[in-house]
Amino acid sequence: MTRFSSFAQTLKASDIAALLALTEQPEVISFAGGLPAPELFPIEEMKKVDEAIYNEEGRKAVQYGTTEGYVPLREEICRRMKDKFFVDCKPDDVVVTTGSQQALFILSQILVDKDQMILMESPSYMGAIMAFNPVGPKYTEVPTDDKGIVPEELEKILAADDTIRMIYVIPEFQNPTGITWPVERRRAFMDIINKYDVIVLEDDPYGEIRYDIEKLPSLKSMDTQNKVVFLGSFSKIFMPGLRLGWIVANPEIIDKFVKFKQAVDLGTSTFGQRQAAYYCRMYDMEAHIQKITALYAKRRDLMYQSMETYFPEGITFTYPQGGLFTWVTLPEQLDATELMPKCLAKNVAYVPGNIFYPNGGHRNHFRLNYSNMPEERIVEGIKRLGDVLKEALAK
Amino acid sequence: MTRFSSFAQTLKASDIAALLALTEQPEVISFAGGLPAPELFPIEEMKKVDEAIYNEEGRKAVQYGTTEGYVPLREEICRRMKDKFFVDCKPDDVVVTTGSQQALFILSQILVDKDQMILMESPSYMGAIMAFNPVGPKYTEVPTDDKGIVPEELEKILAADDTIRMIYVIPEFQNPTGITWPVERRRAFMDIINKYDVIVLEDDPYGEIRYDIEKLPSLKSMDTQNKVVFLGSFSKIFMPGLRLGWIVANPEIIDKFVKFKQAVDLGTSTFGQRQAAYYCRMYDMEAHIQKITALYAKRRDLMYQSMETYFPEGITFTYPQGGLFTWVTLPEQLDATELMPKCLAKNVAYVPGNIFYPNGGHRNHFRLNYSNMPEERIVEGIKRLGDVLKEALAK
C-alpha cells in the first residue's frame, strides 16, 4: 500500500467516471464528449507547416524554449486578442500554456489558498473544478440565469465575504449551458468586480465559434483595473492534441505564473507552438474558423430541431449561439444520472448535469455536445434520448 | 496589487536568476545551461516522421488523447525500459509526461504533504527542488560521496524519522555532480529502502548517454516491492522541445498520477508523442544515441583535459562517465556565487553550486555543462575560468 498526500487520497474512482467510460464504446451515440470535429483539422496544410518549421528554424524549433513561450506565437495571440476580443496587449502580457487546463490549474495555485473561496457560475465547467480542487478551496456557486451570472446575487456574495480571491466565469457559449452574457450583463459584472479585491478568470475557449451573434466585447476589454485574466485556447479553433492555450494577465500575475509554470513543465512544446504560429502565418485562420462555425451551426440546428421533435413536453433546452454544447433541464423529479443506464441500454449518452456543480445537487440536467457527431447520428441519438425521457415521465 | 497564495508569495526574483540571465548573452561562453547539442537533432528525419504521422493517422494524431498517453509510445518505452534499464513493464505501468519536470511536480503533489520530509542527494538537481517546493515540504540532504548516497547515512535518517515519504535520487551521471552509483551501492540502497515505508523517485534522464561504462541495472530493476518510480526522458536522447518524459510506477501510483495529470494538462501533446514513437519505429534510435555519446565524450574529455591544464592546484572536479555535467569543488574559502561577476567580466559562466542544495550553503562548488559547446570554446572558456580561479586563490 502506497501512502499518498491528503489531496491524492481524495482522488478516487467515481461512478460517473465509470459511466462516462461506457459512453466511449463505438456503438454508443455519445453526446457526452466535448471534442471538435476532426474532419476539419487542416492535415494537408500541416504537412507544409511542419516542413516550413524544419526548413526555416530547424534545430531551434525542437530545443528547450522559454517558459513564457515562442515570441511570434505570442505576437499572433496579441493580434487575435485585438481583432477577436477587443483587448490591447503586448507579448509580455501573454504566456503560452499547455492547454487552457494548465492555465486553470496554475492560476488557482498562485491565487488561492486552502479553504479560501472560489466563485463560479452555477453550473460551470467540470474541468475547471478538477483543476482547482488540488488547492483545497471552497466553492460558492453564483446564481445564474439565461443571461449569465446575476449581478445582484454576485454583489451580495462579494459584500458578505472579503476572503474571496477568485471568480471563474465563461461569458461566451458557456460550458455546460451554452449561455452567452449580453453586453449589459458584462458591464454590470465589471462594475461590481471593480469594487472588490478579486481576480476574474475569464475562460473563453469557444468565443470564436459563433453562429448568429455579433462579436461581443470580452470582460478583459472592459477591465480598467487589470483584474481580469483572459484564458484562450487553440483547441477548438485549431487542434486540441497540440495542447496550446494562453493567458493574458497583469504583470504581477504573469511573473508568478511563469515561475510556477517553470516548476510544472519548464515550458510548452516549442515545436507545437510553432505549428500554431506558422499555420496562422501561412494560411487563413479566419477562413478555417468559418468552416468550423458553418458545420457546427448546422449540427446545433439539427440537434435543436430534433429535440423539439422528439423530446416530450416539460423538458427545456438552450439554443446556444456559439460553442459546442446545449443544456437540457428535466422536470425536478427526474435524475439524469439515474437515467444514464437506460440511455446506455439504447446506446446513447450525455453528461449528467450534477458534475458541473462544484457543490453537487441539481440532478435534473444533462449536457449535450453536437460538434463531433455526424448529422444522421444526431437525429437518431436525440430520438433515442426522447424515448428514454418519455418512458421516464410516464412513470 | 494582486493578492497571491502563500506559496506564490515565496516566488520572488532571485539574485541567482538575475546572474543566470546574464550568462545567456551571446558573447558569454556559458557552461551554465544543460542543453543537448542541437547540431545532432535529427531534423531531416523529422520531416519524414511528421509526414508519416499525417499520412498514417491523420486527424487522430491531433485530436484529444488519453491522459495516460499514446499506446504505441508506451509500448516503445517498455521495450527501452527492458533493453536499457533492465526493467520489465507493460504499457499500463507507464504514463507519458510533459517532460520529466511534470513527473517531478505531480509525484511530489500526490506523495507528500506540507511540512513532510523529502530526502535528496547532497547536492541534487535544482529543477527537482523547484518542482517539489509548491508542496511546502522539508528537505533532508543525505550525505553523498563519490559513489552516490552513503547507505549508512541513509539508514540513520530513515530510522530516525518515520514521516519520510519520498526519496529523490539520480543514480546515473548525476545532475549536478556527474557521479554514478556502482552496482553494490545500488544494492545496498535498495536493501535499506526495502525496510522502510518510502517511495523512491529514480530520475534517469542521462542513463543512455554513457561514455566508458557498462549499462548498470537501474534501481527499478532491483525493486522487489514496487517502491521505485522510474522517471525517463526523451529530452537528452531525442529533442527537449517536444517536452516528452515518462514514469514507470506501481498501479496505485499510476492511478493517482493519471487523475492528477488530468487536472494539470489533460494529457501530453498527442502529436509530439507520435513524433517520438514514429521516429523510434522509422529510424535507428540506438545509432542516434551513439552519435550523441561520441560527441559528448569528446567534449567531456576536452573539458577535463582543459581543467587539468588551466585550473590551479587545490581545485578538484569529477570525471563523469556519462551525462552532461561535471562538478567543480573549490577550496572552502572561495564562494562560487561571489566569483560569478568576475567570470562574467571575462565572458565565461557556470552555475554556482549552492542552488543545488535544498537547504543552501556549500558555496565552494560550481557545475559545468559540456554538451552544448563547440570544442574551441570549451578550451577558451576553461582557460578564462582558470584565470579567475588563479586570481581568487592568489588573494
Side-chain angles (χ1 to χ4, degrees), chain B residues 216-244:
Chain B
L216 298 178
S218 60
L219 300 177
K220 184 70 188 158
S221 75
M222 305 173 174
D223 177 24
T224 54
Q225 299 184 12
N226 235 339
K227 284 177 170 176
V228 177
V229 182
F230 183 96
L231 288 79
S233 174
F234 284 104
S235 292
K236 305 305 184 283
I237 59 170
F238 192 44
M239 296 176 296
L242 304 183
R243 312 302 307 121
L244 291 174

PDB file of all heavy atoms in Angstrom, chain B residues 216-244:
ATOM      1  N   LEU B 216      24.398  -0.282 -16.257  1.00  0.00           N
ATOM      2  CA  LEU B 216      24.225  -0.831 -14.906  1.00  0.00           C
ATOM      3  C   LEU B 216      22.728  -1.026 -14.655  1.00  0.00           C
ATOM      4  O   LEU B 216      21.909  -0.288 -15.189  1.00  0.00           O
ATOM      5  CB  LEU B 216      24.799   0.142 -13.870  1.00  0.00           C
ATOM      6  CG  LEU B 216      26.301   0.433 -13.973  1.00  0.00           C
ATOM      7  CD1 LEU B 216      26.700   1.455 -12.922  1.00  0.00           C
ATOM      8  CD2 LEU B 216      27.109  -0.848 -13.808  1.00  0.00           C
ATOM      9  N   PRO B 217      22.382  -2.006 -13.841  1.00  0.00           N
ATOM     10  CA  PRO B 217      20.952  -2.195 -13.553  1.00  0.00           C
ATOM     11  C   PRO B 217      20.395  -0.982 -12.806  1.00  0.00           C
ATOM     12  O   PRO B 217      21.003  -0.478 -11.866  1.00  0.00           O
ATOM     13  CB  PRO B 217      20.924  -3.452 -12.679  1.00  0.00           C
ATOM     14  CG  PRO B 217      22.308  -3.637 -12.179  1.00  0.00           C
ATOM     15  CD  PRO B 217      23.222  -2.997 -13.161  1.00  0.00           C
ATOM     16  N   SER B 218      19.232  -0.538 -13.227  1.00  0.00           N
ATOM     17  CA  SER B 218      18.567   0.578 -12.553  1.00  0.00           C
ATOM     18  C   SER B 218      18.045   0.122 -11.186  1.00  0.00           C
ATOM     19  O   SER B 218      17.897  -1.075 -10.933  1.00  0.00           O
ATOM     20  CB  SER B 218      17.402   1.070 -13.406  1.00  0.00           C
ATOM     21  OG  SER B 218      16.465   0.015 -13.593  1.00  0.00           O
ATOM     22  N   LEU B 219      17.784   1.081 -10.302  1.00  0.00           N
ATOM     23  CA  LEU B 219      17.143   0.743  -9.027  1.00  0.00           C
ATOM     24  C   LEU B 219      15.807   0.050  -9.285  1.00  0.00           C
ATOM     25  O   LEU B 219      15.453  -0.915  -8.603  1.00  0.00           O
ATOM     26  CB  LEU B 219      16.902   2.009  -8.195  1.00  0.00           C
ATOM     27  CG  LEU B 219      18.136   2.833  -7.813  1.00  0.00           C
ATOM     28  CD1 LEU B 219      17.704   4.091  -7.046  1.00  0.00           C
ATOM     29  CD2 LEU B 219      19.116   2.011  -6.991  1.00  0.00           C
ATOM     30  N   LYS B 220      15.080   0.540 -10.274  1.00  0.00           N
ATOM     31  CA  LYS B 220      13.769  -0.039 -10.578  1.00  0.00           C
ATOM     32  C   LYS B 220      13.899  -1.516 -10.919  1.00  0.00           C
ATOM     33  O   LYS B 220      13.007  -2.308 -10.605  1.00  0.00           O
ATOM     34  CB  LYS B 220      13.130   0.747 -11.742  1.00  0.00           C
ATOM     35  CG  LYS B 220      11.715   0.321 -12.123  1.00  0.00           C
ATOM     36  CD  LYS B 220      10.701   0.707 -11.069  1.00  0.00           C
ATOM     37  CE  LYS B 220       9.330   0.121 -11.343  1.00  0.00           C
ATOM     38  NZ  LYS B 220       8.516   0.049 -10.102  1.00  0.00           N
ATOM     39  N   SER B 221      15.004  -1.896 -11.575  1.00  0.00           N
ATOM     40  CA  SER B 221      15.180  -3.307 -11.948  1.00  0.00           C
ATOM     41  C   SER B 221      15.431  -4.185 -10.721  1.00  0.00           C
ATOM     42  O   SER B 221      15.313  -5.403 -10.784  1.00  0.00           O
ATOM     43  CB  SER B 221      16.332  -3.449 -12.946  1.00  0.00           C
ATOM     44  OG  SER B 221      17.585  -3.306 -12.292  1.00  0.00           O
ATOM     45  N   MET B 222      15.810  -3.557  -9.597  1.00  0.00           N
ATOM     46  CA  MET B 222      16.062  -4.304  -8.356  1.00  0.00           C
ATOM     47  C   MET B 222      14.894  -4.181  -7.384  1.00  0.00           C
ATOM     48  O   MET B 222      14.994  -4.612  -6.234  1.00  0.00           O
ATOM     49  CB  MET B 222      17.292  -3.714  -7.644  1.00  0.00           C
ATOM     50  CG  MET B 222      18.540  -3.653  -8.476  1.00  0.00           C
ATOM     51  SD  MET B 222      19.830  -2.728  -7.552  1.00  0.00           S
ATOM     52  CE  MET B 222      21.227  -2.964  -8.650  1.00  0.00           C
ATOM     53  N   ASP B 223      13.814  -3.600  -7.837  1.00  0.00           N
ATOM     54  CA  ASP B 223      12.736  -3.152  -6.952  1.00  0.00           C
ATOM     55  C   ASP B 223      11.722  -4.270  -6.740  1.00  0.00           C
ATOM     56  O   ASP B 223      10.753  -4.397  -7.485  1.00  0.00           O
ATOM     57  CB  ASP B 223      12.080  -1.927  -7.598  1.00  0.00           C
ATOM     58  CG  ASP B 223      10.893  -1.410  -6.822  1.00  0.00           C
ATOM     59  OD1 ASP B 223      10.817  -1.656  -5.603  1.00  0.00           O
ATOM     60  OD2 ASP B 223      10.034  -0.761  -7.453  1.00  0.00           O
ATOM     61  N   THR B 224      11.945  -5.084  -5.713  1.00  0.00           N
ATOM     62  CA  THR B 224      11.068  -6.234  -5.478  1.00  0.00           C
ATOM     63  C   THR B 224       9.755  -5.849  -4.803  1.00  0.00           C
ATOM     64  O   THR B 224       8.819  -6.633  -4.768  1.00  0.00           O
ATOM     65  CB  THR B 224      11.791  -7.266  -4.591  1.00  0.00           C
ATOM     66  OG1 THR B 224      12.244  -6.576  -3.413  1.00  0.00           O
ATOM     67  CG2 THR B 224      12.982  -7.869  -5.325  1.00  0.00           C
ATOM     68  N   GLN B 225       9.677  -4.641  -4.237  1.00  0.00           N
ATOM     69  CA  GLN B 225       8.464  -4.237  -3.508  1.00  0.00           C
ATOM     70  C   GLN B 225       7.674  -3.131  -4.210  1.00  0.00           C
ATOM     71  O   GLN B 225       6.761  -2.549  -3.624  1.00  0.00           O
ATOM     72  CB  GLN B 225       8.845  -3.782  -2.089  1.00  0.00           C
ATOM     73  CG  GLN B 225       9.504  -4.873  -1.263  1.00  0.00           C
ATOM     74  CD  GLN B 225       9.776  -4.408   0.174  1.00  0.00           C
ATOM     75  OE1 GLN B 225       9.288  -3.368   0.605  1.00  0.00           O
ATOM     76  NE2 GLN B 225      10.532  -5.190   0.913  1.00  0.00           N
ATOM     77  N   ASN B 226       8.047  -2.856  -5.454  1.00  0.00           N
ATOM     78  CA  ASN B 226       7.334  -1.834  -6.225  1.00  0.00           C
ATOM     79  C   ASN B 226       7.292  -0.476  -5.534  1.00  0.00           C
ATOM     80  O   ASN B 226       6.267   0.217  -5.509  1.00  0.00           O
ATOM     81  CB  ASN B 226       5.907  -2.310  -6.538  1.00  0.00           C
ATOM     82  CG  ASN B 226       5.630  -2.270  -8.039  1.00  0.00           C
ATOM     83  OD1 ASN B 226       6.309  -1.565  -8.784  1.00  0.00           O
ATOM     84  ND2 ASN B 226       4.631  -3.020  -8.470  1.00  0.00           N
ATOM     85  N   LYS B 227       8.447  -0.086  -4.994  1.00  0.00           N
ATOM     86  CA  LYS B 227       8.553   1.188  -4.281  1.00  0.00           C
ATOM     87  C   LYS B 227       9.265   2.246  -5.094  1.00  0.00           C
ATOM     88  O   LYS B 227       9.380   3.384  -4.646  1.00  0.00           O
ATOM     89  CB  LYS B 227       9.394   0.988  -3.014  1.00  0.00           C
ATOM     90  CG  LYS B 227       8.666   0.310  -1.903  1.00  0.00           C
ATOM     91  CD  LYS B 227       9.617   0.115  -0.738  1.00  0.00           C
ATOM     92  CE  LYS B 227       8.852  -0.338   0.477  1.00  0.00           C
ATOM     93  NZ  LYS B 227       9.753  -0.637   1.590  1.00  0.00           N
ATOM     94  N   VAL B 228       9.813   1.848  -6.245  1.00  0.00           N
ATOM     95  CA  VAL B 228      10.580   2.793  -7.054  1.00  0.00           C
ATOM     96  C   VAL B 228       9.709   3.302  -8.202  1.00  0.00           C
ATOM     97  O   VAL B 228       9.064   2.518  -8.899  1.00  0.00           O
ATOM     98  CB  VAL B 228      11.856   2.128  -7.631  1.00  0.00           C
ATOM     99  CG1 VAL B 228      12.611   3.107  -8.536  1.00  0.00           C
ATOM    100  CG2 VAL B 228      12.754   1.622  -6.512  1.00  0.00           C
ATOM    101  N   VAL B 229       9.681   4.614  -8.372  1.00  0.00           N
ATOM    102  CA  VAL B 229       9.099   5.220  -9.565  1.00  0.00           C
ATOM    103  C   VAL B 229      10.267   5.633 -10.445  1.00  0.00           C
ATOM    104  O   VAL B 229      11.134   6.405 -10.024  1.00  0.00           O
ATOM    105  CB  VAL B 229       8.252   6.459  -9.226  1.00  0.00           C
ATOM    106  CG1 VAL B 229       7.631   7.034 -10.501  1.00  0.00           C
ATOM    107  CG2 VAL B 229       7.176   6.132  -8.202  1.00  0.00           C
ATOM    108  N   PHE B 230      10.304   5.095 -11.661  1.00  0.00           N
ATOM    109  CA  PHE B 230      11.370   5.435 -12.605  1.00  0.00           C
ATOM    110  C   PHE B 230      10.907   6.606 -13.454  1.00  0.00           C
ATOM    111  O   PHE B 230       9.788   6.608 -13.972  1.00  0.00           O
ATOM    112  CB  PHE B 230      11.674   4.228 -13.497  1.00  0.00           C
ATOM    113  CG  PHE B 230      12.817   4.462 -14.453  1.00  0.00           C
ATOM    114  CD1 PHE B 230      14.102   4.055 -14.127  1.00  0.00           C
ATOM    115  CD2 PHE B 230      12.604   5.092 -15.676  1.00  0.00           C
ATOM    116  CE1 PHE B 230      15.162   4.272 -15.002  1.00  0.00           C
ATOM    117  CE2 PHE B 230      13.655   5.321 -16.551  1.00  0.00           C
ATOM    118  CZ  PHE B 230      14.935   4.908 -16.217  1.00  0.00           C
ATOM    119  N   LEU B 231      11.759   7.620 -13.592  1.00  0.00           N
ATOM    120  CA  LEU B 231      11.449   8.777 -14.438  1.00  0.00           C
ATOM    121  C   LEU B 231      12.403   8.800 -15.629  1.00  0.00           C
ATOM    122  O   LEU B 231      13.627   8.893 -15.447  1.00  0.00           O
ATOM    123  CB  LEU B 231      11.612  10.096 -13.669  1.00  0.00           C
ATOM    124  CG  LEU B 231      10.571  10.434 -12.604  1.00  0.00           C
ATOM    125  CD1 LEU B 231      10.848   9.669 -11.324  1.00  0.00           C
ATOM    126  CD2 LEU B 231      10.534  11.924 -12.336  1.00  0.00           C
ATOM    127  N   GLY B 232      11.844   8.706 -16.813  1.00  0.00           N
ATOM    128  CA  GLY B 232      12.648   8.744 -18.032  1.00  0.00           C
ATOM    129  C   GLY B 232      12.333   9.984 -18.850  1.00  0.00           C
ATOM    130  O   GLY B 232      11.343  10.676 -18.603  1.00  0.00           O
ATOM    131  N   SER B 233      13.186  10.245 -19.841  1.00  0.00           N
ATOM    132  CA  SER B 233      13.027  11.466 -20.629  1.00  0.00           C
ATOM    133  C   SER B 233      13.525  11.272 -22.052  1.00  0.00           C
ATOM    134  O   SER B 233      14.519  10.587 -22.285  1.00  0.00           O
ATOM    135  CB  SER B 233      13.820  12.597 -19.973  1.00  0.00           C
ATOM    136  OG  SER B 233      13.789  13.748 -20.777  1.00  0.00           O
ATOM    137  N   PHE B 234      12.828  11.891 -23.013  1.00  0.00           N
ATOM    138  CA  PHE B 234      13.328  11.946 -24.387  1.00  0.00           C
ATOM    139  C   PHE B 234      14.147  13.213 -24.649  1.00  0.00           C
ATOM    140  O   PHE B 234      14.623  13.419 -25.758  1.00  0.00           O
ATOM    141  CB  PHE B 234      12.156  11.883 -25.382  1.00  0.00           C
ATOM    142  CG  PHE B 234      11.576  10.507 -25.535  1.00  0.00           C
ATOM    143  CD1 PHE B 234      10.372  10.176 -24.930  1.00  0.00           C
ATOM    144  CD2 PHE B 234      12.228   9.534 -26.268  1.00  0.00           C
ATOM    145  CE1 PHE B 234       9.830   8.894 -25.063  1.00  0.00           C
ATOM    146  CE2 PHE B 234      11.707   8.259 -26.410  1.00  0.00           C
ATOM    147  CZ  PHE B 234      10.497   7.936 -25.804  1.00  0.00           C
ATOM    148  N   SER B 235      14.286  14.057 -23.622  1.00  0.00           N
ATOM    149  CA  SER B 235      14.910  15.364 -23.865  1.00  0.00           C
ATOM    150  C   SER B 235      16.378  15.243 -24.242  1.00  0.00           C
ATOM    151  O   SER B 235      16.868  15.996 -25.082  1.00  0.00           O
ATOM    152  CB  SER B 235      14.770  16.248 -22.623  1.00  0.00           C
ATOM    153  OG  SER B 235      13.418  16.584 -22.428  1.00  0.00           O
ATOM    154  N   LYS B 236      17.113  14.344 -23.621  1.00  0.00           N
ATOM    155  CA  LYS B 236      18.543  14.269 -23.867  1.00  0.00           C
ATOM    156  C   LYS B 236      18.893  13.321 -25.008  1.00  0.00           C
ATOM    157  O   LYS B 236      19.914  13.492 -25.663  1.00  0.00           O
ATOM    158  CB  LYS B 236      19.273  13.839 -22.583  1.00  0.00           C
ATOM    159  CG  LYS B 236      18.970  14.743 -21.375  1.00  0.00           C
ATOM    160  CD  LYS B 236      19.259  16.208 -21.622  1.00  0.00           C
ATOM    161  CE  LYS B 236      19.041  17.083 -20.391  1.00  0.00           C
ATOM    162  NZ  LYS B 236      17.628  17.365 -20.098  1.00  0.00           N
ATOM    163  N   ILE B 237      18.061  12.324 -25.267  1.00  0.00           N
ATOM    164  CA  ILE B 237      18.378  11.384 -26.354  1.00  0.00           C
ATOM    165  C   ILE B 237      17.692  11.755 -27.660  1.00  0.00           C
ATOM    166  O   ILE B 237      18.035  11.235 -28.715  1.00  0.00           O
ATOM    167  CB  ILE B 237      18.002   9.927 -25.994  1.00  0.00           C
ATOM    168  CG1 ILE B 237      16.511   9.793 -25.686  1.00  0.00           C
ATOM    169  CG2 ILE B 237      18.838   9.447 -24.809  1.00  0.00           C
ATOM    170  CD1 ILE B 237      16.034   8.360 -25.554  1.00  0.00           C
ATOM    171  N   PHE B 238      16.727  12.663 -27.591  1.00  0.00           N
ATOM    172  CA  PHE B 238      15.945  12.985 -28.804  1.00  0.00           C
ATOM    173  C   PHE B 238      15.879  14.506 -28.930  1.00  0.00           C
ATOM    174  O   PHE B 238      16.855  15.113 -29.369  1.00  0.00           O
ATOM    175  CB  PHE B 238      14.580  12.302 -28.670  1.00  0.00           C
ATOM    176  CG  PHE B 238      13.734  12.270 -29.899  1.00  0.00           C
ATOM    177  CD1 PHE B 238      14.264  11.954 -31.131  1.00  0.00           C
ATOM    178  CD2 PHE B 238      12.355  12.540 -29.815  1.00  0.00           C
ATOM    179  CE1 PHE B 238      13.449  11.919 -32.268  1.00  0.00           C
ATOM    180  CE2 PHE B 238      11.554  12.498 -30.939  1.00  0.00           C
ATOM    181  CZ  PHE B 238      12.089  12.193 -32.164  1.00  0.00           C
ATOM    182  N   MET B 239      14.796  15.135 -28.461  1.00  0.00           N
ATOM    183  CA  MET B 239      14.697  16.593 -28.594  1.00  0.00           C
ATOM    184  C   MET B 239      13.898  17.146 -27.411  1.00  0.00           C
ATOM    185  O   MET B 239      12.748  16.748 -27.209  1.00  0.00           O
ATOM    186  CB  MET B 239      13.994  16.930 -29.906  1.00  0.00           C
ATOM    187  CG  MET B 239      14.809  16.470 -31.128  1.00  0.00           C
ATOM    188  SD  MET B 239      13.958  16.733 -32.701  1.00  0.00           S
ATOM    189  CE  MET B 239      12.564  15.651 -32.498  1.00  0.00           C
ATOM    190  N   PRO B 240      14.473  18.067 -26.665  1.00  0.00           N
ATOM    191  CA  PRO B 240      13.801  18.533 -25.446  1.00  0.00           C
ATOM    192  C   PRO B 240      12.565  19.395 -25.702  1.00  0.00           C
ATOM    193  O   PRO B 240      11.652  19.433 -24.879  1.00  0.00           O
ATOM    194  CB  PRO B 240      14.880  19.359 -24.731  1.00  0.00           C
ATOM    195  CG  PRO B 240      15.829  19.775 -25.801  1.00  0.00           C
ATOM    196  CD  PRO B 240      15.800  18.674 -26.830  1.00  0.00           C
ATOM    197  N   GLY B 241      12.538  20.083 -26.859  1.00  0.00           N
ATOM    198  CA  GLY B 241      11.425  20.991 -27.138  1.00  0.00           C
ATOM    199  C   GLY B 241      10.090  20.291 -27.244  1.00  0.00           C
ATOM    200  O   GLY B 241       9.045  20.919 -27.101  1.00  0.00           O
ATOM    201  N   LEU B 242      10.108  18.974 -27.496  1.00  0.00           N
ATOM    202  CA  LEU B 242       8.844  18.247 -27.596  1.00  0.00           C
ATOM    203  C   LEU B 242       8.212  18.019 -26.224  1.00  0.00           C
ATOM    204  O   LEU B 242       7.041  17.696 -26.142  1.00  0.00           O
ATOM    205  CB  LEU B 242       9.042  16.895 -28.297  1.00  0.00           C
ATOM    206  CG  LEU B 242       9.682  16.950 -29.681  1.00  0.00           C
ATOM    207  CD1 LEU B 242       9.737  15.531 -30.274  1.00  0.00           C
ATOM    208  CD2 LEU B 242       8.912  17.873 -30.622  1.00  0.00           C
ATOM    209  N   ARG B 243       8.992  18.192 -25.154  1.00  0.00           N
ATOM    210  CA  ARG B 243       8.506  18.003 -23.786  1.00  0.00           C
ATOM    211  C   ARG B 243       7.899  16.605 -23.601  1.00  0.00           C
ATOM    212  O   ARG B 243       6.699  16.463 -23.404  1.00  0.00           O
ATOM    213  CB  ARG B 243       7.489  19.091 -23.386  1.00  0.00           C
ATOM    214  CG  ARG B 243       7.892  20.514 -23.690  1.00  0.00           C
ATOM    215  CD  ARG B 243       9.207  20.984 -23.046  1.00  0.00           C
ATOM    216  NE  ARG B 243       9.248  20.781 -21.620  1.00  0.00           N
ATOM    217  CZ  ARG B 243      10.173  20.031 -21.013  1.00  0.00           C
ATOM    218  NH1 ARG B 243      11.138  19.433 -21.689  1.00  0.00           N
ATOM    219  NH2 ARG B 243      10.153  19.891 -19.715  1.00  0.00           N
ATOM    220  N   LEU B 244       8.762  15.602 -23.652  1.00  0.00           N
ATOM    221  CA  LEU B 244       8.306  14.219 -23.518  1.00  0.00           C
ATOM    222  C   LEU B 244       9.140  13.475 -22.494  1.00  0.00           C
ATOM    223  O   LEU B 244      10.349  13.325 -22.660  1.00  0.00           O
ATOM    224  CB  LEU B 244       8.409  13.487 -24.862  1.00  0.00           C
ATOM    225  CG  LEU B 244       7.459  13.905 -25.981  1.00  0.00           C
ATOM    226  CD1 LEU B 244       7.827  13.171 -27.259  1.00  0.00           C
ATOM    227  CD2 LEU B 244       6.004  13.612 -25.603  1.00  0.00           C
TER     228      LEU B 244
END
